[in-house]
Amino acid sequence: MWLLPPREAALRAFQLNGYAQGTTYAITYYAADSAVTSADVSRKLAEIDASLSLYQSGSLINQFNAAARGVVADRHLKVVVRKALQVYQDTDGRFDATVEPLVRAWGFGTQHTEAPPSAAAIQAILKGVGSEKLHLRGDSLVKDQPAVHLDLNGIAQGYTVDVLAALLESHHIRNYLVELGGEIRVRGRKFPSRELMRIGIERPDTSDLPPTSMQQVIQLEKGGVTTSGNYRKFKRWGAVKSAHLIDPKTGYPFQNELISVTVVAPDALTADAYDNALMGMGLANALAFLQRHASLQAYLIYQRPDGTVADTATPGFQRLLSPE
Amino acid sequence: MDFPRRDFLKKTSLLTSGLLLHQELAAAFVAPVAASKLRIGIIGCGDRGTGLLKILQELTDKFEVVALCDDLPFRLAAAQKIGSGAKAKTYTDYHALLDARTVDAVIISVPLNLHFQVAKDALAAGKQVYLEKTMTYDIPQALELVRLAQLRPNQTLQVGHQYRYSPLYYRVKEMIKQGYLGKVTQIDCRWDRNGSWRRPVPEPSLERKINWRMYREYSGGLAAELLSHQMDFINWAFDTHADEVFGTGGIDYYKDGRETYDNVQVMARYAKEGIVGNFGATCGNARDGYLFKLKGTKGTISLLVDEGVYYPEKDTLKQYGTVDGVTGATKITWNKDGGIPITTGAEPLKDGSWYALSDFYRAVNEKKLPDSNVFTGARAACTVHLANKAIYNHTIEKWQPEYNLT
């Protein structure tokens, strides 16, 4: 009978913490013994870096960006690009993994810029932007123009927590919470209390909210939870303030009332792709979009015209809210 | 893998200031397009004067350095080698500089005993005044300078408590108001060094001129030169003043002919707030260096000149601890010792004097009272003087109603 999962009473909490992808990760899982170690996690993370990291020279994504035509894709690149293309189509191009040259021109890349880009510069860059210029063909990822530049940073953290969750699952672990850079994948319960995991949603730090408290706490059995926000990253050019999310259609920063969007989806990769797109839609369009997508639940914080901060959520999200 | 998020994760955190504050602050540091440059002269080209001269080289859109004054020729020569200093006219007598019509504003960075007289003359000459801290040598001078400044509402008098002009210190003031610390009962301040605090003297006859900080006739010692910054910040952040001041100290290590103490400790009671402030400075140990800790029922803020960390108390921590994970566009980044860095936005912090001089320019142009003004400067000067009286006379000094200035 050794194939049966251990009795629940024997489940203990194990925690793994570390640094990855320029941020920290934290894994809690419940098992009879330490089935998954830090070394296992580090190996997985290194594998993802070798595929998706723009900061690792020679990574597959950097090879693709340097190539005129394309590269042979590994499993990670295929899964993430397939999701990126699917969400690109589903959101009418508001999530676009080729937007990076615009992000760089606006000074949100790794290099500082002195001034916002000119209209002419934006038009020139736009010619190389657009995920319709990307194709998964057979075992390859190809592009229509050499200038097309792929950047999966917006969704790679969501994907990474999914991969780490799969690592736990492969060791028959069914109760866990994986968090990396504020993106979360969760399944099961805590032991011995048998309570669901509690996930706090960080509040935007504006002065009119009560200090030192979470905005909301949700509890869910399984799924991915990610947040995209405009509230901490912006540039100021004289009187003009630019947020860091750039509209891939126009080449200019999105200007709307949304401050942050938290998405709950079956997995974190999906949630991470849609949270960015929803931020770009504005409140009314985002809520309409969510009505048509039953598998997504969302919590939105926004600014009213008078400057005060308000929040709203889909009915499905409200059911996840912790009673406390 | 690293993501663009990395850069601002380092620099921002839970405690990044609200957007609204940022806009106000940013507005303060952006020069109006039409405003002209302020033609500025520096009276006193010692360490502090030349330090500010260097900062002015980064603010050439706001200031043009047109005059330098010092009665020691080698100091003038050294100042002229800094940036645009070569183009400035030099003076050995500050009265002549004040007579010059080409000078709109002056920085006064002379020994403390001269602050009052030079500032008084500068106001009378119609100049805008940036006066180094501590504002005056004693309480009567502080009260008189307030009176004189009030007679000249069209002139700005800013006092050089530059540290609190850093966005970090504005953020800390805001956090105190927002309740991050709960009820504050204790504040610990130190400014220690392991060194004589002396400057090299090219010839013995210049000893008292160059090492004026060593002599009571010219200087308020460690309390005036160092601890005044923290005293001023507490006054400003809590909108208060010390009601009772206790002090002690001595010449305990450097028995080199100095008169001001090389080791001092001051306790202050802020009765209205129910806070005890502890202020210490020694020349005989450098381990703590600059230390500034504000301790409240909900948490502690530990400050350096350009860094701050918030340490929640155990019960405060429970609010975070009741969740198993946190989702956020940028997540809380904890220090290894359980603190959260306090940060102020994407831009790296500049020297406090950069912000202070930028705001001086704004205050002059908009005829607005600077945040570090003659009233707050007087409050800090009175506190310092009470501290020195307590230290030297072995007395308990009490705040007097006539020090309350608005």
Side-chain angles (χ1 to χ4, degrees):
Chain A
M1 291 295 99
W2 53 273
L3 280 175
L4 285 181
R7 292 164 56 91
E8 282 179 357
L11 293 182
R12 288 194 291 139
F14 293 93
Q15 293 192 321
L16 300 172
N17 296 286
Y19 287 86
Q21 304 181 359
T23 179
T24 55
Y25 69 81
I27 300 170
T28 305
Y29 67 88
Y30 295 86
D33 56 35
S34 54
V36 176
T37 65
S38 291
D40 299 328
V41 172
S42 297
R43 257 193 306 278
K44 268 297 170 214
L45 292 169
E47 197 182 302
I48 295 174
D49 276 1
S51 180
L52 306 180
S53 173
L54 288 174
Y55 291 82
Q56 182 166 322
S57 65
S59 67
L60 199 48
I61 192 169
N62 279 331
Q63 291 177 36
F64 174 81
N65 286 334
R69 184 74 182 127
V71 293
V72 174
D74 68 359
R75 191 174 63 86
H76 299 300
L77 194 58
K78 269 187 213 159
V79 171
V80 179
V81 169
R82 191 172 299 126
K83 177 63 75 175
L85 292 178
Q86 182 201 325
V87 176
Y88 173 75
Q89 295 212 318
D90 193 31
T91 61
D92 196 21
R94 284 203 184 77
F95 174 78
D96 191 331
T98 66
V99 76
E100 196 272 344
L102 287 167
V103 174
R104 200 183 333 145
W106 282 94
F108 293 106
T110 50
Q111 276 162 12
H112 176 73
T113 46
E114 282 300 322
S118 67
I122 288 169
Q123 289 313 310
I125 295 168
L126 276 174
K127 287 188 188 126
V129 171
S131 289
E132 74 282 354
K133 302 179 182 78
L134 279 177
H135 313 278
L136 279 165
R137 284 199 190 121
D139 61 356
S140 295
L141 175 64
V142 295
K143 50 185 167 181
D144 293 341
Q145 297 175 17
V148 170
H149 195 281
L150 185 61
D151 175 356
L152 299 167
N153 289 353
I155 52 176
Q157 292 188 343
Y159 176 67
T160 302
V161 296
D162 284 347
V163 170
L164 295 178
L167 172 68
L168 298 171
E169 298 261 353
S170 73
H171 287 81
H172 310 291
I173 295 164
R174 300 291 181 266
N175 300 284
Y176 56 80
L177 186 143
V178 180
E179 181 267 345
L180 170 74
E183 320 297 21
I184 289 173
R185 179 76 184 261
V186 64
R187 179 172 176 183
R189 290 171 181 272
K190 295 185 273 189
F191 293 87
S193 69
R194 298 193 51 82
E195 289 169 355
L196 292 172
M197 313 274 181
R198 290 164 56 80
I199 297 173
I201 298 168
E202 194 187 307
R203 64 192 177 82
D205 192 15
T206 48
S207 315
D208 47 357
L209 290 167
T212 62
S213 64
M214 291 292 164
Q215 183 78 10
Q216 300 287 1
V217 174
I218 56 171
Q219 291 182 288
L220 71 160
E221 181 86 42
K222 62 192 287 189
V225 187
T226 69
T227 299
S228 177
N230 235 348
Y231 50 92
R232 295 223 180 107
K233 201 179 184 191
F234 56 88
K235 281 211 182 305
R236 189 181 299 286
W237 322 94
V240 181
K241 193 182 109 185
S242 302
H244 77 289
L245 294 173
I246 311 294
D247 186 342
K249 289 287 174 63
T250 63
Y252 287 84
F254 286 119
Q255 300 278 0
N256 65 50
E257 68 277 67
L258 287 173
I259 296 169
S260 82
V261 177
T262 298
V263 175
V264 179
D267 58 74
L269 173 60
T270 305
D272 217 359
Y274 281 103
D275 67 15
N276 285 318
L278 289 163
M279 274 300 295
M281 290 180 194
L283 184 62
N285 288 336
L287 290 174
F289 183 90
L290 288 162
Q291 273 197 330
R292 300 194 302 271
H293 290 75
S295 66
L296 301 178
Q297 301 304 332
Y299 172 69
L300 305 97
I301 303 175
Y302 61 97
Q303 195 158 31
R304 291 203 194 90
D306 65 2
T308 57
V309 174
D311 59 359
T312 186
T314 61
F317 190 96
Q318 286 171 28
R319 284 193 288 274
L320 300 175
L321 287 173
S322 167
E324 283 168 46
Chain B
M1 189 164 12
D2 257 320
F3 298 95
R5 193 178 276 173
R6 163 167 99 169
D7 219 14
F8 76 110
L9 248 180
K10 273 193 208 148
K11 292 170 190 154
T12 69
S13 73
L14 174 73
L15 304 174
T16 307
S17 351
L19 298 179
L20 292 175
L21 176 81
H22 258 307
Q23 275 159 357
E24 286 161 16
L25 259 182
F29 303 130
V30 174
V33 180
S36 58
K37 288 189 193 182
L38 212 51
R39 297 171 299 177
I40 197 161
I42 298 176
I43 301 174
C45 295
D47 284 350
R48 191 67 196 136
T50 52
L52 289 169
L53 178 57
K54 283 172 193 154
I55 301 284
L56 287 171
Q57 307 308 309
E58 299 167 29
L59 292 166
T60 49
D61 57 326
K62 299 185 176 71
F63 298 100
E64 183 185 355
V65 181
V66 295
L68 299 169
C69 176
D70 202 292
D71 53 3
L72 294 174
F74 68 88
R75 280 199 167 149
L76 272 180
Q80 282 187 293
K81 290 191 184 118
I82 296 169
S84 60
K87 284 187 248 165
K89 194 165 181 329
T90 57
Y91 300 85
T92 49
D93 179 353
Y94 80 85
H95 296 97
L97 185 151
L98 292 178
D99 286 341
R101 292 184 163 216
T102 54
V103 178
D104 306 317
V106 289
I107 286 172
I108 300 172
S109 43
V110 295
L112 178 59
N113 65 314
L114 301 174
H115 279 196
F116 172 73
Q117 190 58 49
V118 180
K120 179 183 171 185
D121 293 344
L123 284 176
K127 307 301 185 196
Q128 313 291 346
V129 177
Y130 184 96
L131 173 59
E132 258 312 313
K133 65 90 206 110
T134 302
M135 188 176 94
T136 58
Y137 181 83
D138 63 20
I139 293 171
Q141 288 178 354
L143 304 183
E144 178 63 5
L145 194 58
V146 168
R147 197 187 64 80
L148 292 172
Q150 281 178 313
L151 295 175
R152 297 186 160 264
N154 288 328
Q155 283 167 259
T156 296
L157 194 159
Q158 184 169 328
V159 180
H161 288 288
Q162 76 277 12
Y163 292 108
R164 70 148 136 116
Y165 270 96
S166 161
L168 172 65
Y169 280 68
Y170 277 91
R171 178 62 185 137
V172 169
K173 178 172 157 74
E174 187 186 54
M175 285 175 66
I176 293 167
K177 208 169 99 193
Q178 288 171 336
Y180 279 89
L181 292 181
K183 163 74 179 79
V184 175
T185 57
Q186 285 272 342
I187 302 175
D188 288 347
C189 314
R190 297 211 65 83
W191 205 327
D192 294 344
R193 70 187 65 221
N194 200 336
S196 72
W197 205 33
R198 284 181 167 280
R199 306 285 191 268
V201 179
E203 56 167 293
S205 66
L206 295 176
E207 160 63 15
R208 291 178 78 85
K209 221 168 177 54
I210 288 172
N211 282 313
W212 58 270
R213 290 177 183 81
M214 304 291 126
Y215 302 96
R216 287 201 207 175
E217 182 185 350
Y218 316 121
S219 171
L222 295 168
E225 293 301 317
L226 301 179
L227 300 177
S228 59
H229 283 297
Q230 288 142 321
M231 290 171 174
D232 167 70
F233 178 78
I234 295 168
N235 288 344
W236 178 61
F238 293 91
D239 188 23
T240 189
H241 59 77
D243 297 282
E244 258 183 329
V245 182
F246 311 68
T248 185
I251 302 169
D252 294 329
Y253 184 64
Y254 286 102
K255 299 179 193 301
D256 55 5
R258 73 181 61 200
E259 298 164 9
T260 58
Y261 290 172
D262 64 0
N263 184 23
V264 298
Q265 189 70 34
V266 175
M267 276 193 296
R269 170 137 194 94
Y270 300 84
K272 182 159 62 78
E273 284 68 32
I275 295 174
V276 174
N278 311 285
F279 305 85
T282 178
C283 294
N285 179 286
R287 175 74 188 156
D288 276 338
Y290 180 89
L291 176 151
F292 197 177
K293 288 181 180 169
L294 300 100
K295 302 177 176 183
T297 51
K298 291 196 169 158
T300 302
I301 287 176
S302 178
L303 280 167
L304 299 177
V305 169
D306 55 359
E307 276 177 56
V309 181
Y310 171 62
Y311 297 92
E313 284 285 289
K314 277 218 172 73
D315 277 351
T316 312
L317 210 52
K318 279 186 192 154
Q319 294 176 45
Y320 297 107
T322 56
V323 296
D324 301 289
V326 176
T327 182
T330 65
K331 67 172 186 178
I332 304 166
T333 311
W334 297 87
N335 272 2
K336 292 210 163 42
D337 62 347
I340 309 173
I342 302 166
T343 48
T344 49
E347 302 297 324
L349 286 176
K350 297 181 188 328
D351 188 289
S353 301
W354 187 92
Y355 300 102
L357 287 169
S358 297
D359 200 50
F360 177 55
Y361 178 83
R362 184 192 65 97
V364 168
N365 273 298
E366 298 175 9
K367 293 197 191 336
K368 279 189 179 155
L369 196 66
D371 281 345
S372 179
N373 53 59
V374 73
F375 304 108
T376 65
R379 254 196 289 172
C382 290
T383 313
V384 167
H385 192 62
L386 292 178
N388 273 331
K389 285 208 282 186
I391 291 169
Y392 291 131
N393 302 336
H394 308 280
T395 49
I396 297 173
E397 295 294 326
K398 291 194 192 306
W399 189 266
Q400 301 301 319
E402 59 264 33
Y403 309 161
N404 294 330
L405 306 156
T406 40

